[in-house]
Amino acid sequence: MSSLTLEMPAPRLAWPAWREHGFAIGVAIALHAGLAYVLLHLAHQAPLPTPLTTVLTTELISLPAPVIQPPAPVVAEPAVAPPPAEAPVEAPAPEQADLAFKRAEQAREEQALRLQRERQQRRAEAQRQERLAREEAARQAQLEAQQLAEARRLEAERVAAANAAAAAARAEAQAASRQYLPIAKQAPDYPAKALERKIEGECTVAYTVNAAGRVEDPQVVGNCHPFFVKPSLAAARTFRYQPRVVNGQAVAVANVKNTFSYRIE
């Protein structure tokens, strides 16, 4: 047989509802009372003073009509075509990238080789030009040396020839003077007519000295006064010479000249 046991709760102290909200009710009453006091205080304040009236005076002014500029013609701007859309650049495949890299490397190597060949060609050309310049300078120096040597040789030959000619002339003069030296020369008589007229002058006679040393065929050469021709020829015929001997034989000497001078002292 079951049994039920009932337990009664302990009694709690309960407050009325108006006591729990009393504080809020008091605050609301205080706010309403303050608001009523402010409204009542404002209602009893003095009235605001009447604002002063300001009088405005206006005057009508006529202005000239504004000049209306004609509207500027509107130039239609040419339609600009939109730029073509760039095709999307596809990323190169690894094989294409390697191929492009190899081609770039090959191009750089070819350019380097070309530059090296050009430098070698320029160096070879410079060396060739320098060699040609040296050869030309050597050729010019050799030519100048040859010309100088030739000039010296010609000068030496000319001097030698001149010396030989002078020696031959001296020897001939010595031989001539030694071989047909005059032995006897008689001065001509002064013409009386020339002496009376006080005429002076010179007369040259050319003749041949024969193997015997005598004068043959005297002739007057050059300018000679007529007064002096006869006495000059007569005096020349009286000359005696030592004959010239060649190889042991006496020979004649042609074109021997003698000049007679006629002076009044």
Side-chain angles (χ1 to χ4, degrees):
M1 185 175 183
S2 64
S3 61
L4 295 174
T5 302
L6 297 176
E7 292 182 2
M8 297 297 291
R12 290 176 35 183
L13 184 59
W15 293 86
W18 61 272
R19 291 186 177 181
E20 293 180 359
H21 301 285
F23 178 75
I25 295 172
V27 172
I29 293 173
L31 289 175
H32 284 80
L35 181 58
Y37 175 76
V38 171
L39 294 175
L40 181 61
H41 181 70
L42 291 176
H44 287 286
Q45 285 184 356
L48 296 175
T50 305
L52 298 176
T53 304
T54 302
V55 179
L56 297 177
T57 305
T58 60
E59 183 178 358
L60 182 61
I61 299 176
S62 300
L63 297 176
V67 179
I68 300 174
Q69 297 290 340
V74 179
V75 179
E77 296 183 356
V80 180
E86 297 182 355
V89 179
E90 297 181 358
E95 295 80 4
Q96 295 179 357
D98 294 341
L99 182 59
F101 180 76
K102 291 180 180 179
R103 290 179 178 175
E105 287 292 333
Q106 185 178 1
R108 284 194 293 270
E109 291 177 358
E110 291 178 355
Q111 184 177 6
L113 291 175
R114 184 172 62 257
L115 293 176
Q116 184 178 3
R117 286 195 297 270
E118 291 178 357
R119 285 194 296 268
Q120 292 177 354
Q121 291 176 358
R122 287 195 297 269
R123 189 181 303 110
E125 181 65 20
Q127 293 176 356
R128 189 180 68 85
Q129 293 294 336
E130 184 178 358
R131 184 178 65 257
L132 292 177
R134 288 197 302 267
E135 292 177 356
E136 182 65 21
R139 185 164 54 253
Q140 290 293 334
Q142 183 179 3
L143 180 60
E144 291 177 359
Q146 292 177 356
Q147 292 177 353
L148 181 60
E150 183 68 17
R152 289 178 178 176
R153 185 183 64 80
L154 293 176
E155 182 66 18
E157 291 179 355
R158 186 185 64 79
V159 173
N163 293 335
R170 287 194 300 268
E172 184 179 359
Q174 291 176 359
S177 63
R178 183 174 61 250
Q179 292 182 10
Y180 62 96
L181 290 174
I183 297 175
K185 275 189 176 183
Q186 184 179 358
D189 297 333
Y190 207 102
K193 294 181 179 181
L195 186 60
E196 292 175 359
R197 299 181 183 182
K198 297 182 178 181
I199 299 175
E200 297 181 347
E202 293 181 348
C203 187
T204 301
V205 179
Y207 47 85
T208 300
V209 177
N210 59 17
R214 295 181 179 275
V215 174
E216 294 180 353
D217 192 20
Q219 299 289 334
V220 174
V221 294
N223 295 327
C224 182
H225 196 277
F227 290 165
F228 301 138
V229 172
K230 187 175 180 180
S232 297
L233 294 176
R237 290 189 182 96
T238 63
F239 289 172
R240 297 293 179 269
Y241 286 88
Q242 179 181 350
R244 173 179 291 181
V245 178
V246 178
N247 297 327
Q249 298 291 329
V251 296
V253 179
N255 198 25
V256 178
K257 294 180 181 180
N258 188 85
T259 301
F260 299 95
S261 297
Y262 295 89
R263 297 286 184 271
I264 299 174
E265 297 181 356

